[in-house]
Structures are given as C-alpha cells and as structure tokens.
Amino acid sequence: MKHLSIRWRMTLWYSIALGVILCSFCLVLLLLMRQQILVRTDAGLREEVKEIGLEIGLAPSAEAFETQAEARFSQHDFYEFLVVDRNGGIVFASSQPPEAGTDTPSIATTPGAIEIGTIEFGDSGPYRVAVAGIESAFGKLQVRVMRSLKPIYADLNTLKFAMAGLLPLGVALALASGYFLAGRALRPVQDVVEVANSITITSLDRRIAVGNPHDEIGQLAAALNSLIDRLERAVTEIRRFTADASHEIRTPIASLRSEAESALRAPRTAAEYAQTLEVVVEETTRLGRLTDQLLNLSRHDAGITQSALESVQLNALLGDVAEQLQPFAHDRGVTLTCESVATCEVIGDDIRLSQVLFNCLENAIKYTPPGGEVAIRLQTTARAAVVEIQDNGIGIPESDVPHIFERFYRVDPSRQTDSGGAGLGLSIAKAAVLAHEGTIDLRSQLESGTTVTIRIPLSTGSTTAGSSQTNLLNV
C-alpha cells in the first residue's frame, strides 16, 4: 500500500475494518437468531407435551383418549403428535405425522421428563422432536410432539442470502463514503501543502492559516508557521550578516587601494613610503582580525568548533589576559585593577575562554576615557565562577543594551571612539560562553560605566582557596 496516497489507504483500511465488523455482526446475528428460534420452539414443544399429557391423565381408556385427542390435536398449529404404547402400537397420530426414524429418542425413564432433539425424517426433512414417557390408566405411553424445521431454516436461509447480497453493497457504500470523508478530512492538509509549496525565499512573510488550533491539522500548521518564523529570522540574519561583513571588509580594502594608488601616482620620499606602508600594515592587520572573527563565528554556527576541554585555572587565565592588555590600558591612560580574584578551576577550552576575557576587557578599556578605571573581580558561588569587568566609561544607552551581543551591532557612531571595531567581539564572547554552558550579561548606565558579568560552571570537586587582593596590574 506504500504507493497509494493517504486518502486511498485510509479508505481501504476503513472499508476492510467495516467489512470485518459487518461480517462478524451478521454471523453473530444468525447464530443468536437460530438459538433463539430453537429455544422458543423447544418451549412450545414442552407446552404441547404437557397439554397432551393432561388429556392422557384424564382419559379412562385408550378409546376415550383417542376420541378427545382427535378433536384437539389432529390439526394443531405447526405441531404433529404421535402416541404409542409399550409395544410400539400407535394409540394416536395427528393428521400428517412424519415417518418414524430409527434414531428416534428412546422413552424417558423418569415419568414426566422430556427429552428434545432434532431428527431427520427422510423426505420430510428435519424435525424438532420432544419425547416424554407418561403413565396412564391404560398403560405406559410414549408421547412425541414434533415440529418441522423446514420453515425456520428457510427463513434463516432467506436472511443469509439477504445479508450476503447487502454485505458487498454496504462495503461498496463504505468505500465511497470513506473516500469522500477522507478527502474532506485531508483537505486542510492539502491546503497546508499548497501554501507551504508557494513559500519561497522571497515570500517568507507568508503564513499558513490555522483553522482550528486544537486539532492535529491546526497543530501541524502552527508548527510549520513556527518553523517559517525561525527560517525568516535566520535568512534575515544571514542577509544582514552578509551585508555587514561586506561593508566591514570593503572599508580596509578601499583604504589599501587608496594608499597604493597614492603611492603610485607620484614619486615619494622614503618617509612617505614608510608612512604608506604603516597604513597598509594597519589595514591588513584589521582585515586579518576581521577575517579571523568571521571564520570563528562561521565555525560556531556550523557546529564544527572543536574545543579541547580540560581543567583551567580561571584566576591564572584572567591574570594572563589582564597582563597582556596592560600596555594597551597604559597607552590609553586607563587604570586596570584586579580588586579580588578567587582561586577556582573550570572545565573548558583555555583559548576560547581567554578570547572571551580578552574581548570583554579590551572593550572596557577601549570605551573608558583617559583617567578612567577598569576593575576586575573573580568570585565563586556554589556552582559557578563569576567574573565581573566593570568600567566607569561612557556607558551604553538603555535602548542599545538588548542588542549589544548581536553581530556587527554598534552603538550610535557619534559615541564611537576612534578605535571602534567591527562589532563582533561580544558576539564571539557570547558564543564561546554558551559553548561552556555559561551565561554572559551586561549592565550599563549612560556616562556612568558598564559592567559585564560572566558565569562559567565550576569543575566537579573544584574548591575556592580564598581570594586575594592585588594591585600588581595597576597602571
């Protein structure tokens, strides 16, 4: 059935199930009807045995009984009667009794007991026979009350033929109605398919109509709409990422081309050539750093970033990063202070963690004016190491804070310093922190400073060895 459509499969399964149910119902109905008819027939036979037995008990002689029986039982509805004596002689017989067979039940041994069975009487066909032994004034008698089963079997056969004729018709009607109902039931699915097939990369704003959000089709449509929402956001992000990356790469390339064209336009002194080369080196360094950042993010998005997870002394790593950025802080006239650093150990990639700390600390120094201060704190909780990098720099407007970790997002250019980057540092930091199952948050107040809080889970069995106050990095 795999090559059939769902509509046809539903129709066939529905028809097969209904056919099996109808056949079972007809079989059970025939058996119940046959059993019920036999029960009623046996009850009627018992009543007739009792009636003729009553006449036998009241008759003083065989002749008197025969006379009375001729009047009452000679033609009595559907029943035939036969009364014989001990020697097998017929005492009374109704108008059309069937010929006796050799398998006629024997006389009941207990007076008043009634035996009932079905007997074939040659051409007369099957009869239901009730036999009883009755004591009379003129000896022990055997009473047989019989009823032909031919009419009953004929009615049952008529019912069988009617069922046999109506059953295929019922299955055919079930097939037609099932196909129609399956089409109606699957019509919303077809609508979903048509709308989904019509959505392209240029029409991701379209959505599938959800008729009933509580049924399965509505839930499917809602799930597809959610998928399209995520796809639209991803495509929008890719487009913005591509446009921003192209813009960022074009800027240093344009600068390199401009410097090269200026150098080739006219002869220059050695000092002027050296100045041009310095610009070239600066722009190529900037371009290389931007390329590395883009490659890092692309690998993270593709899930191919391989991290060497090992035990990392976070306090030592933080000290190394702070020492590395000390000359940069000194050049900008910023005081870099490690206020308190707790000894702790985490499981992670020391290279990526150092990149996180470097990016956040570099940003803090970069956007702190000369004479400002950047404070570093490392504390521990029951489960995590908490790094805080706090500055008293220019701060970030409240409207920009929710977007600060987005790629290529930069605050109002009028507030940028001359060393503004491409807007990828914090994005890279967040990706690395999330890869370590940690969190990174940023709080900022305009003209008052910014605080970045990084939480990294502690390694199992890691303990704090107290905290130390140090000013070795004060500049």
Side-chain angles (χ1 to χ4, degrees):
M1 284 192 179
K2 291 184 178 179
H3 63 284
L4 297 177
S5 64
I6 293 179
R7 183 177 185 180
W8 269 113
R9 277 184 280 173
M10 289 178 63
T11 301
L12 291 177
W13 281 116
Y14 171 73
S15 301
I16 292 171
L18 185 60
V20 172
I21 292 172
L22 288 177
C23 289
S24 302
F25 174 77
C26 291
L27 178 62
V28 172
L29 179 62
L30 286 172
L31 293 176
L32 289 177
M33 287 187 65
R34 184 179 185 280
Q35 182 64 26
Q36 189 64 25
I37 290 172
L38 289 178
V39 168
R40 289 202 301 268
T41 302
D42 292 348
L45 291 172
R46 286 191 178 91
E47 289 296 325
E48 296 301 325
V49 169
K50 291 178 181 179
E51 287 187 16
I52 198 169
L54 183 60
E55 291 294 335
I56 292 173
L58 295 175
S61 63
E63 293 77 9
F65 165 70
E66 185 178 3
T67 302
Q68 188 64 28
E70 283 286 347
R72 288 194 59 189
F73 301 105
S74 179
Q75 292 183 350
H76 192 72
D77 296 332
F78 306 101
Y79 300 100
E80 302 294 339
F81 300 87
L82 181 64
V83 181
V84 297
D85 58 19
R86 182 187 299 270
N87 299 320
I90 297 176
V91 177
F92 169 76
S94 58
S95 59
Q96 295 180 343
E99 296 179 0
T102 57
D103 54 353
T104 303
S106 61
I107 298 174
T109 56
T110 304
I114 301 174
E115 293 182 2
I116 299 178
T118 301
I119 304 174
E120 287 284 342
F121 286 101
D123 295 337
S124 299
Y127 273 76
R128 194 71 172 167
V129 180
V131 181
I134 301 175
E135 295 289 344
S136 67
F138 42 91
K140 190 171 185 179
L141 304 176
Q142 183 192 64
V143 176
R144 300 176 189 172
V145 180
M146 297 162 283
R147 180 174 180 178
S148 176
L149 294 178
K150 274 188 175 181
I152 296 174
Y153 286 171
D155 292 341
L156 289 176
N157 287 333
T158 301
L159 183 59
K160 288 180 184 177
F161 290 134
M163 288 181 175
L166 292 175
L167 213 64
L169 179 60
V171 174
L173 291 175
L175 195 66
S177 61
Y179 186 79
F180 173 75
L181 293 176
R184 290 291 300 272
L186 294 175
R187 181 58 194 173
V189 177
Q190 187 62 34
D191 294 339
V192 169
V193 171
E194 291 175 358
V195 176
N197 286 334
S198 68
I199 296 176
T200 63
I201 197 70
T202 59
S203 59
L204 288 174
D205 57 332
R206 291 192 60 188
R207 294 297 179 268
I208 300 169
V210 181
N212 181 4
H214 303 293
D215 63 11
E216 289 79 0
I217 305 301
Q219 293 173 5
L220 173 63
L224 288 175
N225 284 337
S226 177
L227 175 63
I228 296 170
D229 285 338
R230 296 193 297 272
L231 181 61
E232 183 181 19
R233 288 195 298 269
V235 170
T236 302
E237 189 70 20
I238 290 172
R239 287 172 176 169
R240 188 169 67 85
F241 180 84
T242 303
D244 291 341
S246 300
H247 175 74
E248 293 295 334
I249 292 174
R250 185 166 55 246
T251 300
I253 290 177
S255 179
L256 287 172
R257 180 177 179 178
S258 175
E259 291 295 327
E261 288 177 348
S262 297
L264 293 173
R265 190 174 294 117
R268 292 190 172 192
T269 64
E272 289 174 334
Y273 280 121
Q275 185 179 3
T276 299
L277 290 176
E278 287 178 0
V279 174
V280 170
V281 170
E282 181 180 349
E283 292 300 328
T284 52
T285 301
R286 177 184 174 187
L287 186 60
R289 183 175 180 182
L290 177 60
T291 304
D292 290 340
Q293 290 177 332
L294 291 174
L295 180 62
N296 193 326
L297 286 174
S298 298
R299 287 177 174 175
H300 177 268
D301 290 342
I304 59 175
T305 302
Q306 297 181 351
S307 300
L309 300 180
E310 56 186 4
S311 297
V312 178
Q313 289 293 132
L314 193 59
N315 54 301
L317 188 64
L318 183 59
D320 291 342
V321 172
E323 185 175 356
Q324 184 180 358
L325 286 171
Q326 180 182 358
F328 179 59
H330 181 273
D331 292 341
R332 298 188 63 84
V334 175
T335 301
L336 182 59
T337 304
C338 290
E339 292 187 351
S340 61
V341 177
T343 302
C344 63
E345 185 178 283
V346 298
I347 297 296
D349 183 345
D350 59 343
I351 295 177
R352 298 191 70 185
L353 288 176
S354 65
Q355 188 178 33
V356 172
L357 299 174
F358 186 93
N359 288 348
C360 295
L361 193 54
E362 183 188 37
N363 267 3
I365 298 172
K366 188 184 300 182
Y367 295 105
T368 300
E373 181 180 354
V374 175
I376 305 171
R377 289 182 288 273
L378 172 57
Q379 302 172 342
T380 58
T381 64
R383 296 182 179 180
V386 182
V387 178
E388 285 189 356
I389 299 174
Q390 183 177 11
D391 65 67
N392 57 1
I394 60 177
I396 302 171
E398 185 178 354
S399 59
D400 292 315
V401 172
H403 307 285
I404 203 67
F405 291 104
E406 294 179 4
R407 299 173 186 183
F408 294 107
Y409 187 86
R410 285 176 290 188
V411 185
D412 182 4
S414 64
R415 303 188 56 80
Q416 295 280 341
T417 65
D418 56 356
S419 56
L424 292 175
L426 289 179
S427 298
I428 294 173
K430 183 175 183 179
V433 170
L434 292 178
H436 286 78
E437 299 182 356
T439 62
I440 180 169
D441 301 307
L442 183 144
R443 303 187 309 276
S444 184
Q445 187 173 356
L446 203 58
E447 305 299 342
S448 296
T450 303
T451 301
V452 177
T453 304
I454 304 167
R455 291 178 175 83
I456 304 294
L458 292 170
S459 63
T460 304
S462 176
T463 58
T464 46
S467 59
S468 59
Q469 179 79 20
T470 177
N471 289 315
L472 294 176
L473 298 177
N474 290 356
V475 179

